C-alpha cells in the first residue's frame, strides 16, 4: 500500500510547479519503469483468462467445493480447526498457482504443436484433479465407500501414481 501511495504522490508532484523539470522527468521515468512490468503482467493474465476461461472457472469451482466438502469432512470427523482450514486451503491454492504457472511456462516453450497441446491437456487435468481428488476422497469416506464407485477411486489413485491420462479415461473393462 505504501508503494501505491508513493506513486500517487509522484504523480501529484509532476503536476506541481515547485519541483524542477529534471525532478519531474525523474518521477515520470520512475512511474513508467514501475508500472510497465505490472501492466505487462496484467495484460498477459487477462489474455490467459480469455483463452482459458472454462479451465480457470472449473479450477475456482473445484477449489470452492473443496473448501465446503473439506470443512464438512473435518467437522464430521471432529478434526475441524479454523487455523488448519485456512492454512491447508491457502497452501493448496499457492501450490496450484505455482505448479501450474511453472508447467504452463514449460508448455509455452514447447510451442503450439501436438506435444504442446497434449502437455496442455495433461497439466490442466492434473491441476483439476488435485482439488477434485481431495473432494472425491472425502466424499468417498463420508459415504462409507459407497460413492463414487470404487473403480473411479482406483483410477484416481492410479493417475496420481502414474500420470497416465489414457488409463484414467479408458473405459475398457478387463
Amino acid at each position: 500500500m505504501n508503494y501505491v501511495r508513493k506513486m500517487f504522490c509522484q504523480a501529484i508532484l509532476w503536476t506541481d510547479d515547485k519541483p524542477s523539470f529534471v525532478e519531474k522527468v525523474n518521477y515520470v521515468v520512475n512511474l513508467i519503469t514501475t508500472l510497465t512490468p505490472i501492466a505487462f503482467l496484467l495484460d498477459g493474465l487477462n489474455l490467459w483468462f480469455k483463452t482459458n476461461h472454462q479451465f480457470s472457472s472449473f479450477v475456482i469451482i473445484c477449489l470452492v467445493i473443496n473448501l465446503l466438502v473439506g470443512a464438512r469432512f473435518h467437522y464430521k470427523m471432529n478434526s475441524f480447526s479454523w487455523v488448519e482450514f485456512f492454512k491447508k486451503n491457502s497452501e493448496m491454492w499457492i501450490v496450484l498457482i505455482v505448479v501450474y504457472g511453472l508447467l504452463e511456462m514449460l508448455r509455452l516453450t514447447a510451442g503450439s504443436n501436438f506435444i504442446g497441446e497434449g502437455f496442455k491437456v495433461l497439466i490442466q487435468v492434473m491441476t483439476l484433479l488435485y482439488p477434485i481428488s481431495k473432494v472425491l476422497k472425502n466424499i468417498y469416506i463420508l459415504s462409507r465407500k459407497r460413492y463414487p464407485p470404487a473403480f473411479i477411486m482406483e483410477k484416481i489413485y492410479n493417475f496420481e501414481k502414474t500420470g497416465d491420462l489414457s488409463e484414467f479415461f479408458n473405459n475398457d473393462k478387463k
Side-chain angles (χ1 to χ4, degrees), residues 132-150:
I132 288 173
S133 67
K134 289 187 165 291
V135 169
L136 293 179
K137 288 174 189 175
N138 287 339
I139 291 173
Y140 190 63
I141 293 168
L142 287 171
S143 71
R144 295 182 188 95
K145 298 186 177 185
R146 290 184 296 216
Y147 196 77

Side-chain angles (χ1 to χ4, degrees), residues 57-122:
S57 297
F58 286 167
V59 169
I60 292 169
I61 290 167
C62 290
L63 288 170
V64 169
I65 292 171
N66 180 61
L67 286 170
L68 300 173
V69 172
R72 172 70 177 134
F73 174 82
H74 288 287
Y75 179 77
K76 190 167 183 176
M77 299 296 168
N78 293 322
S79 62
F80 184 80
S81 159
W82 283 108
V83 173
E84 283 297 308
F85 174 78
F86 288 117
K87 180 181 168 189
K88 293 291 185 179
N89 283 291
S90 298
E91 181 181 289
M92 177 184 278
W93 288 51
I94 290 168
V95 166
L96 277 178
I97 291 168
V98 169
V99 171
Y100 181 81
L102 292 171
L103 291 174
E104 183 71 5
M105 284 187 252
L106 188 61
R107 182 196 67 84
L108 290 172
T109 303
S112 294
N113 53 37
F114 180 72
I115 294 171
E117 290 303 310
F119 191 61
K120 178 181 180 178
V121 171
L122 177 65

